[in-house]
Short mmCIF file of all heavy atoms in Angstrom, two decimals:
data_model
loop_
_atom_site.label_atom_id
_atom_site.label_comp_id
_atom_site.label_asym_id
_atom_site.label_seq_id
_atom_site.Cartn_x
_atom_site.Cartn_y
_atom_site.Cartn_z
N GLY A 99 -195.97 188.07 115.08
CA GLY A 99 -194.62 188.04 115.60
C GLY A 99 -193.51 187.70 114.59
O GLY A 99 -192.36 187.54 114.94
N THR A 100 -193.90 187.55 113.32
CA THR A 100 -192.91 187.24 112.29
C THR A 100 -192.11 188.48 111.97
O THR A 100 -192.65 189.57 111.81
CB THR A 100 -193.62 186.75 110.99
OG1 THR A 100 -194.41 185.60 111.31
CG2 THR A 100 -192.58 186.34 109.93
N ASP A 101 -190.77 188.30 111.86
CA ASP A 101 -189.90 189.43 111.55
C ASP A 101 -189.88 189.66 110.05
O ASP A 101 -189.39 188.83 109.29
CB ASP A 101 -188.45 189.13 112.06
CG ASP A 101 -187.55 190.28 111.94
OD1 ASP A 101 -187.82 191.23 111.17
OD2 ASP A 101 -186.50 190.33 112.66
N VAL A 102 -190.44 190.80 109.62
CA VAL A 102 -190.49 191.10 108.18
C VAL A 102 -189.59 192.37 107.88
O VAL A 102 -189.79 193.03 106.86
CB VAL A 102 -191.92 191.35 107.67
CG1 VAL A 102 -192.69 190.03 107.58
CG2 VAL A 102 -192.68 192.31 108.60
N THR A 103 -188.63 192.61 108.74
CA THR A 103 -187.78 193.79 108.58
C THR A 103 -187.08 193.79 107.22
O THR A 103 -187.02 194.82 106.55
CB THR A 103 -186.71 193.82 109.70
OG1 THR A 103 -187.36 193.63 110.95
CG2 THR A 103 -185.93 195.14 109.70
N SER A 104 -186.54 192.63 106.82
CA SER A 104 -185.77 192.60 105.58
C SER A 104 -186.67 192.90 104.40
O SER A 104 -186.23 193.58 103.45
CB SER A 104 -185.11 191.22 105.40
OG SER A 104 -186.02 190.21 105.29
N GLN A 105 -187.90 192.45 104.40
CA GLN A 105 -188.78 192.77 103.28
C GLN A 105 -189.12 194.28 103.25
O GLN A 105 -189.21 194.90 102.16
CB GLN A 105 -190.11 191.97 103.37
CG GLN A 105 -189.94 190.49 103.10
CD GLN A 105 -189.72 189.69 104.33
OE1 GLN A 105 -189.07 190.13 105.31
NE2 GLN A 105 -190.25 188.48 104.37
N TYR A 106 -189.29 194.86 104.41
CA TYR A 106 -189.56 196.29 104.45
C TYR A 106 -188.35 197.11 103.98
O TYR A 106 -188.48 198.10 103.28
CB TYR A 106 -189.93 196.70 105.87
CG TYR A 106 -191.40 196.53 106.17
CD1 TYR A 106 -192.00 195.30 106.19
CD2 TYR A 106 -192.22 197.66 106.39
CE1 TYR A 106 -193.34 195.13 106.43
CE2 TYR A 106 -193.58 197.50 106.63
CZ TYR A 106 -194.13 196.26 106.65
OH TYR A 106 -195.48 196.10 106.87
N GLN A 107 -187.18 196.66 104.37
CA GLN A 107 -185.96 197.36 103.92
C GLN A 107 -185.77 197.22 102.39
O GLN A 107 -185.41 198.16 101.70
CB GLN A 107 -184.73 196.80 104.65
CG GLN A 107 -184.70 197.30 106.09
CD GLN A 107 -183.59 196.64 106.93
OE1 GLN A 107 -183.10 195.57 106.57
NE2 GLN A 107 -183.24 197.26 108.02
N LYS A 108 -186.01 196.00 101.91
CA LYS A 108 -185.87 195.75 100.45
C LYS A 108 -186.84 196.65 99.68
O LYS A 108 -186.47 197.28 98.68
CB LYS A 108 -186.17 194.28 100.17
CG LYS A 108 -186.39 193.91 98.70
CD LYS A 108 -185.09 193.57 98.09
CE LYS A 108 -185.11 193.13 96.64
NZ LYS A 108 -186.30 192.83 95.99
N GLY A 109 -188.07 196.74 100.15
CA GLY A 109 -189.08 197.58 99.50
C GLY A 109 -188.63 199.04 99.51
O GLY A 109 -188.74 199.75 98.50
N ALA A 110 -188.09 199.50 100.62
CA ALA A 110 -187.61 200.91 100.71
C ALA A 110 -186.46 201.14 99.73
O ALA A 110 -186.37 202.17 99.07
CB ALA A 110 -187.17 201.21 102.13
N GLU A 111 -185.58 200.13 99.62
CA GLU A 111 -184.43 200.29 98.72
C GLU A 111 -184.88 200.33 97.25
O GLU A 111 -184.32 201.03 96.45
CB GLU A 111 -183.44 199.14 98.97
CG GLU A 111 -182.62 199.36 100.21
CD GLU A 111 -181.98 198.09 100.76
OE1 GLU A 111 -181.91 197.10 100.01
OE2 GLU A 111 -181.59 198.10 101.92
N GLU A 112 -185.89 199.55 96.93
CA GLU A 112 -186.44 199.59 95.58
C GLU A 112 -187.04 200.93 95.26
O GLU A 112 -186.85 201.47 94.17
CB GLU A 112 -187.47 198.47 95.41
CG GLU A 112 -186.90 197.07 95.40
CD GLU A 112 -186.01 196.79 94.21
OE1 GLU A 112 -186.54 196.50 93.12
OE2 GLU A 112 -184.79 196.84 94.37
N VAL A 113 -187.71 201.51 96.24
CA VAL A 113 -188.33 202.83 96.02
C VAL A 113 -187.28 203.89 95.84
O VAL A 113 -187.39 204.75 94.98
CB VAL A 113 -189.31 203.15 97.20
CG1 VAL A 113 -189.79 204.62 97.05
CG2 VAL A 113 -190.52 202.22 97.16
N ILE A 114 -186.23 203.83 96.64
CA ILE A 114 -185.18 204.84 96.54
C ILE A 114 -184.43 204.72 95.19
O ILE A 114 -184.04 205.71 94.56
CB ILE A 114 -184.19 204.83 97.74
CG1 ILE A 114 -183.47 206.17 97.85
CG2 ILE A 114 -183.17 203.72 97.66
CD1 ILE A 114 -184.28 207.31 98.32
N LYS A 115 -184.30 203.46 94.73
CA LYS A 115 -183.71 203.23 93.43
C LYS A 115 -184.50 203.95 92.35
O LYS A 115 -183.99 204.64 91.49
CB LYS A 115 -183.69 201.70 93.15
CG LYS A 115 -182.82 201.27 92.04
CD LYS A 115 -183.08 199.84 91.63
CE LYS A 115 -182.75 198.82 92.69
NZ LYS A 115 -183.04 197.41 92.27
N LEU A 116 -185.81 203.79 92.41
CA LEU A 116 -186.72 204.43 91.46
C LEU A 116 -186.65 205.98 91.62
O LEU A 116 -186.61 206.69 90.63
CB LEU A 116 -188.15 203.93 91.68
CG LEU A 116 -189.24 204.54 90.85
CD1 LEU A 116 -189.00 204.32 89.37
CD2 LEU A 116 -190.59 203.97 91.22
N ALA A 117 -186.68 206.42 92.86
CA ALA A 117 -186.63 207.87 93.12
C ALA A 117 -185.40 208.52 92.50
O ALA A 117 -185.48 209.56 91.88
CB ALA A 117 -186.65 208.11 94.62
N LYS A 118 -184.25 207.82 92.57
CA LYS A 118 -183.02 208.38 92.00
C LYS A 118 -183.07 208.30 90.49
O LYS A 118 -182.60 209.23 89.80
CB LYS A 118 -181.83 207.59 92.54
CG LYS A 118 -181.52 207.94 94.01
CD LYS A 118 -180.34 207.12 94.52
CE LYS A 118 -180.05 207.53 95.93
NZ LYS A 118 -179.00 206.71 96.55
N LEU A 119 -183.66 207.25 89.96
CA LEU A 119 -183.75 207.09 88.52
C LEU A 119 -184.51 208.22 87.89
O LEU A 119 -184.13 208.71 86.78
CB LEU A 119 -184.46 205.73 88.25
CG LEU A 119 -184.35 205.13 86.87
CD1 LEU A 119 -182.92 204.77 86.55
CD2 LEU A 119 -185.23 203.85 86.84
N VAL A 120 -185.57 208.72 88.50
CA VAL A 120 -186.43 209.74 87.90
C VAL A 120 -186.15 211.09 88.55
O VAL A 120 -186.90 212.05 88.30
CB VAL A 120 -187.91 209.37 88.01
CG1 VAL A 120 -188.19 208.08 87.26
CG2 VAL A 120 -188.38 209.27 89.47
N ASP A 121 -185.16 211.22 89.41
CA ASP A 121 -184.83 212.43 90.09
C ASP A 121 -186.00 213.02 90.85
O ASP A 121 -186.37 214.19 90.71
CB ASP A 121 -184.28 213.49 89.06
CG ASP A 121 -183.56 214.60 89.75
OD1 ASP A 121 -183.16 214.45 90.89
OD2 ASP A 121 -183.40 215.67 89.10
N CYS A 122 -186.61 212.17 91.64
CA CYS A 122 -187.76 212.57 92.44
C CYS A 122 -187.34 213.46 93.59
O CYS A 122 -186.29 213.20 94.21
CB CYS A 122 -188.43 211.32 92.98
SG CYS A 122 -189.63 211.60 94.26
N LYS A 123 -188.10 214.50 93.85
CA LYS A 123 -187.81 215.44 94.95
C LYS A 123 -188.86 215.38 96.08
O LYS A 123 -188.66 215.94 97.14
CB LYS A 123 -187.74 216.91 94.44
CG LYS A 123 -186.81 217.11 93.28
CD LYS A 123 -185.37 217.11 93.69
CE LYS A 123 -184.47 217.51 92.54
NZ LYS A 123 -183.11 217.02 92.71
N LYS A 124 -190.01 214.75 95.76
CA LYS A 124 -191.10 214.80 96.70
C LYS A 124 -191.92 213.52 96.64
O LYS A 124 -192.08 212.91 95.56
CB LYS A 124 -192.02 216.00 96.38
CG LYS A 124 -193.20 216.17 97.34
CD LYS A 124 -193.90 217.49 97.10
CE LYS A 124 -195.05 217.63 98.11
NZ LYS A 124 -195.63 218.97 98.06
N ALA A 125 -192.43 213.10 97.80
CA ALA A 125 -193.30 211.91 97.85
C ALA A 125 -194.49 212.22 98.72
O ALA A 125 -194.38 212.89 99.72
CB ALA A 125 -192.51 210.74 98.41
N ILE A 126 -195.66 211.69 98.30
CA ILE A 126 -196.85 211.78 99.11
C ILE A 126 -197.20 210.33 99.54
O ILE A 126 -197.55 209.53 98.70
CB ILE A 126 -198.01 212.38 98.32
CG1 ILE A 126 -197.67 213.78 97.81
CG2 ILE A 126 -199.30 212.42 99.19
CD1 ILE A 126 -198.66 214.34 96.80
N LEU A 127 -196.97 210.08 100.80
CA LEU A 127 -197.10 208.70 101.28
C LEU A 127 -198.18 208.57 102.37
O LEU A 127 -198.45 209.51 103.11
CB LEU A 127 -195.73 208.21 101.86
CG LEU A 127 -194.55 208.25 100.89
CD1 LEU A 127 -193.33 207.66 101.59
CD2 LEU A 127 -194.83 207.51 99.59
N LYS A 128 -198.74 207.38 102.44
CA LYS A 128 -199.87 207.09 103.34
C LYS A 128 -199.47 207.30 104.80
O LYS A 128 -198.51 206.70 105.29
CB LYS A 128 -200.32 205.65 103.11
CG LYS A 128 -201.43 205.19 104.01
CD LYS A 128 -202.75 205.76 103.57
CE LYS A 128 -203.83 205.45 104.59
NZ LYS A 128 -203.74 206.24 105.82
N ALA A 129 -200.24 208.10 105.47
CA ALA A 129 -199.99 208.37 106.88
C ALA A 129 -200.07 207.11 107.78
O ALA A 129 -200.81 206.17 107.45
CB ALA A 129 -201.03 209.40 107.40
N LYS A 130 -199.26 207.06 108.77
CA LYS A 130 -199.28 206.12 109.89
C LYS A 130 -198.72 204.72 109.54
O LYS A 130 -198.49 203.87 110.41
CB LYS A 130 -200.69 205.93 110.44
CG LYS A 130 -201.38 207.20 110.86
CD LYS A 130 -202.80 206.91 111.24
CE LYS A 130 -203.62 208.18 111.36
NZ LYS A 130 -205.07 207.89 111.53
N SER A 131 -198.49 204.43 108.26
CA SER A 131 -198.04 203.11 107.85
C SER A 131 -196.61 202.80 108.31
O SER A 131 -195.78 203.68 108.34
CB SER A 131 -198.08 203.05 106.32
OG SER A 131 -197.15 202.11 105.79
N PRO A 132 -196.32 201.52 108.63
CA PRO A 132 -194.97 201.17 109.00
C PRO A 132 -193.96 201.31 107.88
O PRO A 132 -192.75 201.30 108.09
CB PRO A 132 -195.08 199.71 109.48
CG PRO A 132 -196.32 199.19 108.81
CD PRO A 132 -197.25 200.40 108.73
N SER A 133 -194.44 201.40 106.61
CA SER A 133 -193.57 201.69 105.48
C SER A 133 -193.63 203.14 105.09
O SER A 133 -192.57 203.81 104.91
CB SER A 133 -194.03 200.89 104.24
OG SER A 133 -193.65 199.57 104.31
N CYS A 134 -194.82 203.63 104.95
CA CYS A 134 -195.04 204.97 104.33
C CYS A 134 -195.24 206.10 105.30
O CYS A 134 -195.15 207.28 104.93
CB CYS A 134 -196.22 204.89 103.38
SG CYS A 134 -195.94 203.81 101.94
N GLY A 135 -195.56 205.82 106.56
CA GLY A 135 -195.89 206.86 107.51
C GLY A 135 -194.78 207.91 107.73
O GLY A 135 -193.60 207.59 107.64
N SER A 136 -195.20 209.14 107.94
CA SER A 136 -194.24 210.23 108.09
C SER A 136 -194.49 210.98 109.43
O SER A 136 -195.58 211.48 109.62
CB SER A 136 -194.35 211.19 106.93
OG SER A 136 -193.43 212.27 107.09
N ASN A 137 -193.53 210.98 110.24
CA ASN A 137 -193.51 211.65 111.54
C ASN A 137 -194.37 210.94 112.67
O ASN A 137 -193.97 210.98 113.82
CB ASN A 137 -194.01 213.12 111.45
CG ASN A 137 -193.09 213.93 110.58
OD1 ASN A 137 -191.88 213.67 110.54
ND2 ASN A 137 -193.63 214.92 109.86
N MET A 138 -195.47 210.33 112.30
CA MET A 138 -196.23 209.57 113.27
C MET A 138 -196.60 208.19 112.67
O MET A 138 -197.10 208.15 111.55
CB MET A 138 -197.55 210.33 113.61
CG MET A 138 -197.37 211.66 114.29
SD MET A 138 -196.59 211.53 115.92
CE MET A 138 -197.92 210.87 116.91
N ILE A 139 -196.32 207.18 113.41
CA ILE A 139 -196.65 205.79 112.98
C ILE A 139 -197.28 204.98 114.12
O ILE A 139 -197.16 205.42 115.28
CB ILE A 139 -195.38 205.04 112.44
CG1 ILE A 139 -194.29 205.04 113.52
CG2 ILE A 139 -194.92 205.65 111.15
CD1 ILE A 139 -193.11 204.15 113.16
N TYR A 140 -197.82 203.85 113.83
CA TYR A 140 -198.33 202.97 114.88
C TYR A 140 -197.20 202.48 115.76
O TYR A 140 -196.08 202.28 115.25
CB TYR A 140 -199.14 201.83 114.29
CG TYR A 140 -200.44 202.26 113.62
CD1 TYR A 140 -200.65 202.11 112.28
CD2 TYR A 140 -201.41 202.93 114.39
CE1 TYR A 140 -201.83 202.57 111.68
CE2 TYR A 140 -202.60 203.36 113.82
CZ TYR A 140 -202.79 203.21 112.45
OH TYR A 140 -203.94 203.65 111.88
#
Side-chain angles (χ1 to χ4, degrees):
T100 304
D101 188 339
V102 286
T103 311
S104 63
Q105 290 94 325
Y106 273 66
Q107 286 173 340
K108 168 90 178 347
E111 283 160 17
E112 291 293 280
V113 171
I114 201 72
K115 194 193 297 180
L116 177 60
K118 287 179 177 175
L119 197 63
V120 299
D121 197 18
C122 168
K123 307 284 187 204
K124 182 171 181 171
I126 301 169
L127 302 184
K128 177 76 187 73
K130 306 174 194 172
S131 152
S133 284
C134 293
S136 178
N137 297 328
M138 296 296 286
I139 55 171
Y140 291 117

